[in-house]
């Protein structure tokens, strides 16, 4: 097959508030080439403030989620261009992972198959992760003579206890979906034929929440991990005050009103009805 055009390395569709974004190089097990990295950033740009999108799901076409970095196009061919080429392709990859990490919309990794090495970057960047029991996760770098770079070591130590992360990095053995869930790499593992339904169910639950609050909450979870307790307390006060400004639907007041005055719901049992709070567009 001729090389895929850059714009064909990522596919997406938007349905009922969910953007389903796919690594789209199944013939190369969706490994990440510079072309794919550039295209993914374009797609993320396009969807980030699209009002038709509430949740973004990242998955892979074919049998793979992503087989990590493209050893030929990302490593060998850019190394032939010397340091400027290497730094440029690193920037292209890290930029979209970082963009995803702090994305405006809630993001879910839907890991349908192979997930290796560099794939841990976008896996970790997604707020939630669900996988198929049939998926395989591996820090395969040790098997071909490099350390788990591109943030993969940091991902493993962020998500797993030290002993598990160390074993994972040194042995280069794969984890099944269920083992990945037990190790903390993903939230849950389900049989492949139930994966999309389960992710859609979770996405639909998220879509009922106040989207501005989701953004503030996911950022808060990620930010406070690296703060002292005092700094975290202070950050959370400031973040809520910023949210009061950014949430044009005034969800906080609406939530209190529906509970305290209308008595139409109980926050302990579910979310307020945001359809009664206006669109939030000024
Ligand atoms: N980089 C470059 N090419 C890759 C690739 C990668 N990370 N992963 C797969 N491919 C290519 C293969 O070279 C092959 O290309 P070809 O058809 O031109 O020969 C094609 O994708 C299909 O791969 P293949 O190995 O035949 O598929 P498989 O289903 O038998 O095995 C994997 C799938 C994922 C187990 C295997 O491809 C693999 O080990 N890939 C490397 C994984 C890795 O170490 N990634 C870490 C990078 S940081």
């Amino acid at each position: 097959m001729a090389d895929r055009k850059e714009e064909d390395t990522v596919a997406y569709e938007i349905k009922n508030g969910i953007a389903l974004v796919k690594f789209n190089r199944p013939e190369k097990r969706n490994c990440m080439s510079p072309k794919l990295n550039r295209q993914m950033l374009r797609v993320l740009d396009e969807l980030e403030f699209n009002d038709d999108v509430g949740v973004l799901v990242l998955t892979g076409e074919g049998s793979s989620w992503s087989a990590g970095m493209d050893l030929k196009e990302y490593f060998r061919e850019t190394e032939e261009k010397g340091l400027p080429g290497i730094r440029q392709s690193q920037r292209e990859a890290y930029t979209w992972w970082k963009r995803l990490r702090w994305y405006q919309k809630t993001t879910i990794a839907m890991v349908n198959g192979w997930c290796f090495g560099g794939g841990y970057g976008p896996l970790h960047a997604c707020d939630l992760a669900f996988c198929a029991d049939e998926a395989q996760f591996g820090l395969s770098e040790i098997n071909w003579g490099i350390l788990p770079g591109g943030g993969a070591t940091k991902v493993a130590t962020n998500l797993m206890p030290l002993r598990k992360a160390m074993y994972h990095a040194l042995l280069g053995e794969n984890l099944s979906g269920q083992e990945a869930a037990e190790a903390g790499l993903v939230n849950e593992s389900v049989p492949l034929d139930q994966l999309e339904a389960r992710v859609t169910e979770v996405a639909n639950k998220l879509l009922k929440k106040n989207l501005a609050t989701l953004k503030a909450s996911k950022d808060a979870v990620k930010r406070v991990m690296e703060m002292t307790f005092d700094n975290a307390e202070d950050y959370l006060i400031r973040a809520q005050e910023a949210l009061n400004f950014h949430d044009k639907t005034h969800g906080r007041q609406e939530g209190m009103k529906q509970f305290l005055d209308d008595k139409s719901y109980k926050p302990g049992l579910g979310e307020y009805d945001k359809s009664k709070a206006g669109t939030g567009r000024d």
Side-chain angles (χ1 to χ4, degrees):
M1 171 182 182
D3 261 7
R4 221 166 247 278
K5 285 197 227 127
E6 188 156 319
E7 60 266 35
D8 296 334
T9 56
V10 177
Y12 75 86
E13 58 176 323
I14 302 171
K15 220 162 53 183
N16 303 325
I18 302 169
L20 189 68
V21 178
K22 287 187 176 178
F23 293 105
N24 194 34
R25 299 179 74 209
E27 67 286 356
K28 296 288 178 189
R29 303 301 179 262
N30 297 325
C31 65
M32 289 175 274
S33 61
K35 283 183 193 166
L36 182 145
N37 290 330
R38 287 193 290 270
Q39 186 59 19
M40 194 61 93
L41 184 60
R42 277 186 210 110
V43 168
L44 292 182
D45 264 343
E46 215 169 299
L47 298 174
E48 186 158 25
F49 291 97
N50 183 330
D51 289 332
D52 295 333
V53 177
V55 173
L56 184 145
V57 174
L58 180 60
T59 191
E61 184 62 49
S63 63
S64 194
W65 193 68
S66 173
M69 306 322 291
D70 185 321
L71 271 65
K72 178 169 172 277
E73 295 184 35
Y74 180 82
F75 288 110
R76 183 185 279 168
E77 290 177 2
T78 57
E79 279 158 21
E80 285 164 3
K81 296 181 189 159
L83 195 58
I86 295 168
R87 290 288 180 264
Q88 186 184 333
S89 56
Q90 287 167 336
R91 262 195 313 275
E92 287 166 350
Y94 299 173
T95 301
W96 79 261
W97 302 344
K98 183 168 179 182
R99 187 68 175 277
L100 193 61
R101 200 152 70 243
W102 301 108
Y103 208 58
Q104 188 66 27
K105 307 291 165 63
T106 307
T107 55
I108 305 177
M110 183 166 88
V111 183
N112 51 304
W114 305 111
C115 177
F116 284 112
Y120 281 36
L123 174 72
H124 176 255
C126 288
D127 304 316
L128 299 169
F130 293 79
C131 73
D133 294 342
E134 294 87 337
Q136 294 273 314
F137 295 76
L139 288 181
S140 55
E141 288 88 340
I142 193 77
N143 295 336
W144 64 278
I146 69 164
L147 59 78
T153 299
K154 180 70 177 158
V155 171
T157 55
N158 261 11
L159 298 180
M160 297 182 191
L162 177 63
R163 292 289 178 213
K164 276 190 194 287
M166 190 66 89
Y167 188 95
H168 199 49
L170 297 189
L171 274 295
E173 291 173 2
N174 295 340
L175 300 176
S176 68
Q178 288 191 346
E179 288 167 337
E182 279 156 28
L185 284 176
V186 295
N187 293 89
E188 238 177 85
S189 178
V190 296
L192 181 59
D193 61 6
Q194 293 168 28
L195 181 62
E196 187 159 357
R198 174 63 181 136
V199 168
T200 305
E201 180 185 47
V202 173
N204 284 334
K205 286 185 187 182
L206 290 166
L207 287 170
K208 288 191 185 153
K209 312 279 182 201
N210 177 319
L211 297 185
T213 309
L214 282 176
K215 165 66 174 154
S217 301
K218 68 187 209 147
D219 284 5
V221 170
K222 290 178 182 178
R223 295 279 184 207
V224 300
M225 279 180 68
E226 292 175 1
M227 291 181 190
T228 62
F229 205 95
D230 283 353
N231 286 345
E233 273 185 350
D234 193 54
Y235 166 84
L236 293 169
I237 289 170
R238 311 289 150 215
Q240 179 59 51
E241 287 168 358
L243 175 59
N244 295 344
F245 174 78
H246 283 297
D247 178 12
K248 303 302 182 199
T249 68
H250 309 293
R252 184 171 179 272
Q253 286 93 323
E254 185 63 31
M256 280 197 276
K257 175 179 167 293
Q258 290 184 21
F259 177 52
L260 298 175
D261 306 330
D262 306 346
K263 299 197 179 298
S264 56
Y265 87 115
K266 293 176 194 290
L269 302 179
E271 63 280 313
Y272 71 88
D273 180 355
K274 69 175 184 176
S275 71
K276 294 188 180 148
T279 63
R281 290 182 199 118
D282 284 332

